[in-house]
């Protein structure tokens, strides 16, 4: 989404600037208060963490993964239950709502890209521990699983090329209430070559190899 400033916002900035000038003038005319020992201690304390300023994209743990096996969910026709290697000692159980779009046989031993730090969620009685990235067309009548580069190993991180959004520091677990992934998904998609991009910037493994989908110029979720 593109957010634009409107006239009322400009007026608010002008009013804020005027208040700051007034405050500055008052501060210069008033004598400086004596500093206590507590003030000195506060001045020496390190600045608070700027975690709130960290770009949302750098909080997401995108990884190369592989679907080892998949089966139909016993209580939901639209869901598959997969065992996925995400580069850890044990595979994770993941639930995906792609059963209406992708045949079960096409889900076996298949490379994929996952968001590995989603909060585990119960889906019809089975807990899902990650999310597979899929490209989809506008009316969601066609879906394709995003594929990592050939030869990439499960667990390899996927990041924007050249760290163009800053250093990546994925959160241990995303808080669903903060809608972090939902905001990222608004700018996540495929380009004209089918490559995975965020805000137009390619996402790739450490050697620059890109993730791709057969679906071009589509949203990814």
């Amino acid at each position: 989404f593109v957010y634009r400033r409107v006239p009322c916002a400009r007026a608010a900035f002008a009013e804020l600037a005027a208040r700051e000038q007034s405050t500055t003038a008052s501060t210069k005319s008033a004598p400086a208060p004596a500093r206590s020992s507590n003030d000195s201690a506060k001045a020496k304390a390190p600045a608070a963490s700027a975690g709130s300023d960290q770009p949302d994209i750098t909080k997401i743990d995108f990884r190369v993964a592989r679907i080892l096996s998949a089966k139909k969910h016993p209580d939901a026709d639209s869901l598959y239950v997969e065992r996925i290697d995400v580069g850890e000692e044990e595979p994770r159980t993941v639930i995906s709502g792609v059963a209406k779009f992708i045949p079960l046989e096409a889900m076996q031993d298949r490379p994929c890209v996952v968001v590995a730090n989603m909060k585990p969620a119960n889906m019809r009685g089975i807990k899902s521990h990650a999310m597979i990235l899929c490209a989809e067309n506008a009316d969601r009548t066609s879906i394709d699983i995003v594929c990592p580069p050939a030869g990439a190993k499960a667990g390899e991180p996927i990041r924007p090329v050249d760290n163009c959004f800053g250093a990546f520091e994925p959160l241990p677990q995303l808080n669903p209430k903060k809608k972090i992934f939902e905001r990222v998904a608004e700018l996540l998609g495929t380009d004209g070559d089918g490559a995975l991009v965020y805000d137009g910037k390619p996402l790739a493994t450490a050697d620059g190899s890109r993730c791709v989908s057969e679906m071009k110029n589509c949203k990814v979720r």
Side-chain angles (χ1 to χ4, degrees):
F1 293 103
V2 178
Y3 296 90
R4 299 177 179 174
R5 295 178 180 174
V6 293
C8 61
R10 294 174 183 166
F13 285 128
E15 180 181 351
L16 180 59
R19 288 182 181 179
E20 289 178 347
Q21 290 177 357
S22 175
T23 302
T24 301
S26 299
T27 303
K28 289 181 178 179
S29 60
R35 296 183 64 182
S36 67
S37 58
N38 288 338
D39 292 333
S40 298
K42 290 178 181 178
K44 294 178 181 179
S49 172
S52 59
D53 296 329
Q54 181 184 351
D56 285 333
I57 183 63
T58 67
K59 302 174 185 178
I60 309 295
D61 186 2
F62 295 110
R63 294 190 202 176
V64 173
R66 177 172 287 274
I67 302 170
L68 302 176
S69 63
K71 62 183 180 180
K72 292 183 178 180
H73 193 295
D75 297 320
D77 292 338
S78 63
L79 302 178
Y80 285 145
V81 181
E82 303 117 7
R83 291 177 65 254
I84 298 184
D85 180 3
V86 298
E88 299 169 342
E89 290 186 6
E90 296 292 332
R92 293 193 191 186
T93 298
V94 178
I95 313 298
S96 302
V98 299
K100 293 182 178 180
F101 308 97
I102 302 175
L104 184 59
E105 57 269 22
M107 294 291 291
Q108 313 301 323
D109 193 28
R110 179 170 182 159
C112 63
V113 175
V114 300
V115 178
N117 60 343
M118 303 290 285
K119 183 177 180 179
N122 280 311
M123 301 183 71
R124 293 293 188 92
I126 300 177
K127 188 166 287 188
S128 179
H129 296 269
M131 185 181 71
I132 295 174
L133 287 187
C134 294
E136 59 183 38
N137 60 357
D139 56 3
R140 208 171 186 273
T141 57
S142 182
I143 283 180
D144 182 49
I145 293 176
V146 175
C147 185
K153 295 181 180 180
E156 283 190 53
I158 296 170
R159 307 286 184 258
V161 172
D162 298 328
N163 286 331
C164 51
F165 296 99
F168 256 68
E169 298 178 359
L171 300 178
Q173 187 176 101
L174 299 177
N175 184 343
K177 294 181 179 180
K178 294 186 177 181
K179 305 293 184 182
I180 296 172
F181 181 75
E182 287 78 358
R183 290 193 297 272
V184 168
E186 293 297 334
L187 297 175
L188 202 61
T190 58
D191 63 13
D193 296 322
L196 179 65
V197 296
Y198 172 77
D199 198 17
K201 306 298 190 300
L203 277 69
T205 51
D207 64 0
S209 299
R210 302 173 68 175
C211 304
V212 297
S213 166
E214 293 182 359
M215 300 183 66
K216 302 176 181 180
N217 296 315
C218 288
K219 296 290 294 182
V220 169
R221 298 185 188 279

